[in-house]
Amino acid sequence: MAALFDLTGRVAFVTGGGSGIGRRMAEALAAAGAAVVVAGRRTGPLAETAVTVQASGGRAAAVTADLGDLPSLDAVAVLAAEPFGPPDILVNAAGINLRQPAEDVTLESWEQTVAVQLSAPFFLARALVPAMRERGWGRVINIASLQSVRAMPNSMPYGAAKGGICQLTRAMAEAWSRHGITANAIAPGFFPTELTAPVFADASRAAEMAARTAIGRNGRLEDLDGPTVFLASRASDYVTGQTLFVDGGFTAK
Ligand code: NAP
């Protein structure tokens, strides 16, 4: 059974791998045997992820890139393949949430959110899929959200992009699964990261989010380890086009 979850010999490219959910997912993939390449804008946090993975005996490298710069993504995909060869696994975990009321959203802030959350996952996947297709195996894991299916205040661009990522995941699955490349999304509940720090800073708001789950608590980053390795490995060979809510039952209530 362990062989089904073994990622030895696989290469994973994890955007947003310098912090939060992306970092934890990169660490989980490395612990399962994958060589990981993490990407983001800040070099320091990416290097910290790489050092942590290496300290645990894994292989890791970093690519500094602004994924909101959509015309550069084909070049980013080339850089992603340099350290360990072409990625077999793409995790699209880079994201922002500007939390602007509708009247404050500008054309620029709308486009910034949608570029990182929705457009970059498509263009990066499209650039990396041909090499996966040649090998007849690949994994795309997108990051969805409670806001893929629930409305929250001051999050219209974010919610629109997160709704879109679920449908993009289905469309990717339709296009690529016959070639051995599955596409799925993980929809995290409410997890403590840089992105959610402003919300966690309000203890009553954090408690309210915990109370809305079936399990009765907010997420811990380690809750993502099993779902990540499952969707990245042979264990999920016949699972595609799905969004797996890792949300303590928030959306079940
Ligand atoms: P985070 O710690 O802030 O991680 C976001 C990452 O994205 C950062 O490492 C950031 O690195 C990178 N990033 C942002 N803009 C980028 C850009 N233009 N180019 C390249 N990298 C960029 O927050 P997180 O919570 O882990 O978020 C990860 C994903 O999970 C996001 O898609 C988020 O929407 C989603 N999510 C989070 C939660 C939660 O409760 N935390 C729940 C549901 C979904 P740089 O700043 O260095 O670029």
Side-chain angles (χ1 to χ4, degrees):
M1 186 55 69
L4 276 182
F5 296 89
D6 186 9
L7 298 179
T8 304
R10 304 287 192 202
V11 176
F13 182 50
V14 183
T15 75
S19 66
I21 287 171
R23 173 179 285 182
R24 185 71 196 196
M25 292 176 78
E27 289 170 359
L29 295 170
V36 296
V37 182
V38 288
R41 291 166 300 181
R42 293 167 296 163
T43 305
L46 297 173
E48 280 173 32
T49 303
V51 166
T52 306
V53 167
Q54 288 156 359
S56 306
R59 293 193 301 158
V63 169
T64 306
D66 180 354
L67 304 177
D69 178 12
L70 301 177
S72 74
L73 294 184
D74 282 344
V76 171
V78 171
L79 292 175
E82 271 178 9
F84 308 114
D88 309 281
I89 300 158
L90 167 64
V91 178
N92 285 307
I96 53 169
N97 186 356
L98 302 177
R99 294 191 185 83
Q100 294 172 314
E103 52 274 24
D104 292 351
V105 173
T106 61
L107 185 56
E108 190 189 18
S109 68
W110 176 278
E111 287 183 342
Q112 195 187 355
T113 301
V114 173
V116 180
Q117 295 278 12
L118 186 59
S119 308
F122 166 69
F123 286 106
L124 272 181
R126 194 182 62 174
L128 293 172
V129 153
M132 296 181 192
R133 197 171 160 163
E134 269 175 32
R135 297 191 298 284
W137 197 93
R139 294 285 184 264
V140 178
I141 304 176
N142 295 317
I143 304 300
S145 166
L146 295 174
Q147 295 198 49
S148 299
V149 292
R150 293 285 188 278
M152 294 198 185
N154 302 332
S155 280
M156 283 195 204
Y158 184 88
K162 287 303 191 187
I165 201 83
C166 294
Q167 184 55 27
L168 178 64
T169 300
R170 294 185 196 102
M172 288 174 164
E174 193 282 328
W176 299 327
S177 299
R178 274 181 187 75
H179 308 291
I181 302 156
T182 65
N184 292 288
I186 287 177
F190 192 48
F191 283 73
T193 66
E194 290 174 20
L195 188 103
T196 52
V199 189
F200 270 96
D202 179 347
S204 66
R205 181 85 208 287
E208 180 207 322
M209 293 296 277
R212 289 172 69 180
T213 67
I215 287 181
R217 64 167 174 82
N218 289 314
R220 299 176 187 133
L221 288 174
E222 59 265 32
D223 293 324
L224 296 164
D225 294 354
T228 299
V229 174
F230 167 64
L231 289 178
S233 66
R234 281 180 45 226
S236 60
D237 266 352
Y238 199 56
V239 179
T240 194
Q242 304 304 309
T243 297
L244 175 57
F245 282 82
V246 183
D247 68 353
F250 190 107
T251 49
K253 290 218 322 180

